[in-house]
Structure formats: C-alpha cells, structure tokens
Amino acid sequence: VAFEGYKIAETPFTNGQFKRLHKLKRDELLEIMPDAEGRLKRSLEISAEKTAELKLQSPMVCISEVEAEGIAKLLGMRLPSELERERAAAYTDGRSYPFGNKFDKNKVTFDDNGTRSVFAHKEGASPEGVLDLSGNIWEWTSSPYGEIDLSDPKNPKLPQSGDLRVLRGGSWYDGIPEDLQAAYRINFHPENRYDGVG
C-alpha cells in the first residue's frame, strides 16, 4: 500500500495527557465525556504501576471510539485508519511485531494485571520510535470493521461503512502473542468501553 506520509503520536494517549486536557479544555471535554473525572479515576485504578507518576504515564482506558475521536479533535489530531496503524506497527518490511518477527514478552505489556507506563518497554519501539504499538491497550482506529478485498494486494479495498470499528495492538490482559501482531485486528462497537481499550 502506498502512503503519502502521515504523522503518528509517539505513544498512546495517557492518563496524564487526559488530566491536562481536562484542566485546559474542561468545558469542551465534558461535552464529549460528561463523567470525565470518574473515567480518569477508573483508568488510573487499572494501571498496575506503583507510583502516581507512572500511573499518569499509563494509557487512558475505558473510552469509546466516539470519545477517542472527540479527544483527538480537541488536540488537533484524528484517529489513524487501520492501514495507517498497521504501517506504523509493521514498518516498511511487513514485520510481525514493531520490534521484529519474533515475539518477545519482555518488549511488551502482555498477560499482566493492568496497564503500564507507555515508556516501560522502550526496547519494543518500532524502527521509527513509536511505542506500545503492541500490547498495553487495544487501540481504536477510525476504520469500519468488515472483510477486506485483497483482489489487488497493492490496493486493498477497505469497508467504507459498518456498525463496528477496528481495534489493533493487543493489550495487557491478552495471553496470546498472536493478538499483538501488527496485522491482527478485532472489532468493537464504537460506543463501547473496556478496561483494555484506549
């Protein structure tokens, strides 16, 4: 797939970033998420870290795709498409994981008892320096879920509509390495929230 180029955040959106956004744009954020304080508290509780500072560095969870897209807009950004997300994780060589083709549990937050700091596994970064593309949390994409038409492999046709959205990356509670592969995808309703999704 040919990309014209795009920028992607170095890490998933964190509890600390959410806290700052709440302070700076409280009214706008409360339009997207009326229970913002309670949701932040729940997200901090899901962090397995010991210190408050590291909990703030953990990814924000329990947000729907609708809320994630709204937060991205407040930041002047957007959610990536699933192809953009896969390109970031698989790099240009189609690797299985951001760090290579062989799974290494020491490079991801995987089969754990909660989220970890997005900086906990710097050795698991992609060649371009993006962190947590595998593990820690399933990440929302803007793409509808459905069957991809691969009749022309260099120009796959993605679904343009649908009730579900694509999630990528795997999470802290996953115990199957294949779930964390760059090309692996699952679906979730865009208004649903879960403690492994952010």
Side-chain angles (χ1 to χ4, degrees):
V1 178
F3 285 101
E4 294 179 5
Y6 63 97
K7 293 181 180 180
I8 191 165
E10 179 188 8
T11 69
F13 187 67
T14 66
N15 293 320
Q17 288 170 322
F18 184 86
K19 189 175 180 180
R20 285 196 299 278
L21 186 64
H22 185 266
K23 185 177 179 181
L24 294 171
K25 298 190 176 187
R26 185 177 186 277
D27 292 341
E28 297 101 312
L29 182 60
L30 291 180
E31 286 182 24
I32 298 164
M33 186 185 300
D35 59 339
E37 293 92 344
R39 206 78 67 73
L40 175 60
K41 182 176 183 280
R42 175 73 180 123
S43 187
L44 289 167
E45 289 170 353
I46 290 164
S47 173
E49 300 289 6
K50 303 292 185 200
T51 68
E53 181 183 349
L54 288 176
K55 285 179 183 291
L56 287 172
Q57 291 178 6
S58 287
M60 182 73 184
V61 296
C62 296
I63 56 177
S64 68
E65 188 269 347
V66 174
E67 293 163 340
E69 188 65 57
I71 289 168
K73 285 180 182 174
L74 281 181
L75 297 170
M77 304 168 81
R78 63 175 174 80
L79 293 179
S81 70
E82 72 167 310
L83 285 181
E84 289 170 334
R85 177 68 173 62
E86 184 172 331
R87 161 57 184 84
Y91 191 50
T92 57
D93 55 10
R95 58 188 56 204
S96 297
Y97 302 96
F99 44 84
N101 286 314
K102 186 177 178 185
F103 182 73
D104 185 340
K105 66 180 181 178
N106 297 312
K107 294 183 179 180
V108 294
T109 300
F110 165 77
D111 199 16
D112 207 336
N113 61 350
T115 58
R116 300 278 175 183
S117 165
V118 294
F119 304 108
H121 299 288
K122 290 185 177 179
E123 66 281 4
S126 73
E128 294 161 315
V130 184
L131 299 167
D132 274 1
L133 288 167
S134 282
N136 220 357
I137 56 164
W138 285 102
E139 295 177 23
W140 287 111
T141 73
S142 61
S143 298
Y145 184 86
E147 192 166 330
I148 299 173
D149 180 355
L150 294 172
S151 55
D152 178 1
K154 291 187 178 183
N155 188 23
K157 291 182 179 66
L158 297 175
Q160 297 302 306
S161 63
D163 294 334
L164 304 173
R165 290 290 177 275
V166 174
L167 294 173
R168 293 287 189 125
S171 78
W172 58 269
Y173 64 78
D174 286 293
I176 304 170
E178 288 76 16
D179 288 358
L180 278 65
Q181 289 184 347
Y184 192 78
R185 62 202 293 262
I186 63 169
N187 64 71
F188 213 46
H189 192 278
E191 293 181 5
N192 285 356
R193 304 177 186 100
Y194 194 63
D195 58 9
V197 175

